[in-house]
């Protein structure tokens, strides 16, 4: 269960890969300057933010209600920067489809953009986890209780959570509220060869991983 983010890091896909079912929290609150509308790639050997401009009209708007500003302009800028930054990488040709998808589509919302990109990656990676959208399930509840309600709906016996959510799940008393098991994802950015870069920059978009090691090796990498 995760909010849809823009061109996520490999750990996002590892979480989906290791789950039997995955829910996009597309109706959760949009957070400004978060992973919801930005991520990082390497530009001239340094991590660089690429941000999708959005219309932030209220403090409580949902991700699936958040509209993209300058819909065509931002896409062309991102595509040009990605192409220029990775054109000399070993598998630069394998990210061309990503560029084409961003450049040649219109997206109704930030959630639409993010989920369509993620679903496209899942197809390329042959990850067949069952996907759901929280906005279509009609399940309510706050924070941890809503997660438990999702688990009950899916009749899931275990919740695999990203490690970043451990503090609030424990403080909310997850284990006191349900008999369902709570496990935390164990995934780290194992160093891989980044083209023309002596060091290693972790926590980048999966675009960096594919450009450096290709789709087939990425499938193996995500199983760590």
């Amino acid at each position: 269960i995760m909010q849809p983010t823009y061109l996520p890091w490999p750990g996002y896909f590892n979480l989906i890969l290791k789950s039997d079912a995955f829910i996009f929290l597309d109706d959760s609150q949009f957070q400004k300057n978060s992973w919801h509308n930005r991520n990082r790639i390497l530009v001239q050997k340094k991590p660089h933010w690429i941000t999708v401009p959005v219309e932030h009209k209220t403090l409580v708007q949902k991700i699936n209600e958040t509209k993209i500003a300058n819909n065509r302009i931002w896409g062309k800028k991102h595509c040009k920067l990605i192409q220029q930054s990775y054109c000399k990488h070993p598998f630069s040709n394998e990210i061309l489809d990503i560029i084409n998808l961003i450049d040649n589509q219109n997206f109704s919302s930030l959630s639409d953009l993010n989920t369509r990109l993620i679903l496209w990656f899942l197809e390329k990676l042959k990850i067949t986890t069952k996907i759901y959208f929280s906005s279509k399930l009609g399940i309510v509840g706050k924070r941890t209780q809503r997660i438990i309600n999702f688990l009950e709906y899916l009749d899931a016996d275990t919740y695999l959570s990203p490690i970043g959510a451990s503090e609030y799940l424990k403080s909310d008393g997850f284990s006191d509220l349900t008999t369902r098991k709570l496990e935390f994802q164990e995934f780290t950015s194992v160093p891989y060869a980044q083209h023309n870069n002596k060091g290693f920059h972790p926590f980048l978009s999966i675009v960096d991983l594919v450009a450096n090691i290709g789709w087939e090796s990425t499938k193996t990498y995500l199983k760590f």
Side-chain angles (χ1 to χ4, degrees), residues 178-198:
T178 181
T179 57
R180 298 168 199 274
K181 297 178 182 178
L182 174 62
E183 295 182 358
F184 292 103
Q185 178 191 23
E186 296 181 3
F187 182 85
T188 57
S189 289
V190 178
Y192 53 88
Q194 290 173 326
H195 177 69
N196 201 26
N197 189 16
K198 294 181 180 180

Side-chain angles (χ1 to χ4, degrees), residues 6-20:
Y6 182 56
L7 294 175
W9 77 302
Y12 193 106
F13 295 93
N14 169 267
L15 184 71
I16 299 177
L17 176 65
K18 295 196 171 183
S19 303
D20 295 318

Side-chain angles (χ1 to χ4, degrees), residues 9-10 35 39-40 187-189 192 194 200-205:
W9 77 302
W35 301 107
N39 219 301
R40 303 187 309 159
F187 182 85
T188 57
S189 289
Y192 53 88
Q194 290 173 326
F200 175 70
H201 295 281
F203 309 115
L204 300 176
S205 166

Side-chain angles (χ1 to χ4, degrees), residues 27-38:
D27 59 355
S28 60
Q29 184 175 330
F30 169 72
Q31 297 174 8
K32 189 177 180 180
N33 297 324
S34 73
W35 301 107
H36 291 167
N37 68 317
R38 65 178 187 167

Side-chain angles (χ1 to χ4, degrees), residues 8-216:
W9 77 302
Y12 193 106
F13 295 93
N14 169 267
L15 184 71
I16 299 177
L17 176 65
K18 295 196 171 183
S19 303
D20 295 318
F22 179 83
I23 298 175
F24 282 122
L25 281 174
D26 60 325
D27 59 355
S28 60
Q29 184 175 330
F30 169 72
Q31 297 174 8
K32 189 177 180 180
N33 297 324
S34 73
W35 301 107
H36 291 167
N37 68 317
R38 65 178 187 167
N39 219 301
R40 303 187 309 159
I41 60 173
L42 281 186
V43 177
Q44 296 179 349
K45 303 181 182 181
K46 296 181 180 179
H48 177 85
W49 288 104
I50 51 174
T51 303
V52 179
V54 298
E55 299 175 4
H56 196 199
K57 296 182 178 179
T58 71
L59 295 176
V60 295
Q61 70 187 42
K62 299 175 181 179
I63 303 174
N64 62 355
E65 297 171 341
T66 301
K67 300 297 182 181
I68 299 173
N70 301 319
N71 195 33
R72 302 307 302 163
I73 298 174
W74 75 267
K76 292 187 180 300
K77 288 182 177 179
H78 284 203
C79 292
K80 183 178 181 180
L81 183 58
I82 292 171
Q83 191 166 24
Q84 289 177 341
S85 300
Y86 291 102
C87 64
K88 295 183 179 179
H89 284 55
F91 295 90
S92 59
N93 62 311
E94 299 199 15
I95 65 169
L96 291 179
D97 286 342
I98 303 170
I99 294 171
N100 291 331
L101 182 61
I102 294 173
D103 192 30
N104 296 319
Q105 300 290 328
N106 285 313
F107 303 98
S108 60
S109 67
L110 179 62
S111 173
D112 181 37
L113 164 68
N114 292 347
T115 56
R116 283 167 68 179
L117 287 174
I118 293 168
L119 291 173
W120 182 85
F121 274 102
L122 295 179
E123 184 176 353
K124 292 289 289 187
L125 294 165
K126 294 183 170 55
I127 296 175
T128 57
T129 301
K130 180 67 175 177
I131 302 295
Y132 298 87
F133 291 79
S134 60
S135 61
K136 297 180 181 179
L137 296 180
I139 295 174
V140 298
K142 292 185 178 181
R143 222 158 74 155
T144 298
Q145 186 57 57
R146 193 182 190 201
I147 290 175
I148 293 172
N149 294 343
F150 283 132
L151 297 176
E152 292 176 350
Y153 173 83
L154 297 174
D155 195 24
D157 56 15
T158 303
Y159 176 48
L160 179 62
S161 168
I163 192 67
S166 61
E167 186 174 336
Y168 87 76
L169 287 170
K170 291 176 180 178
S171 65
D172 284 356
F174 179 96
S175 298
D176 297 326
L177 297 172
T178 181
T179 57
R180 298 168 199 274
K181 297 178 182 178
L182 174 62
E183 295 182 358
F184 292 103
Q185 178 191 23
E186 296 181 3
F187 182 85
T188 57
S189 289
V190 178
Y192 53 88
Q194 290 173 326
H195 177 69
N196 201 26
N197 189 16
K198 294 181 180 180
F200 175 70
H201 295 281
F203 309 115
L204 300 176
S205 166
I206 193 173
V207 171
D208 185 82
L209 180 64
V210 175
N212 279 291
I213 69 174
W215 287 111
E216 289 303 316

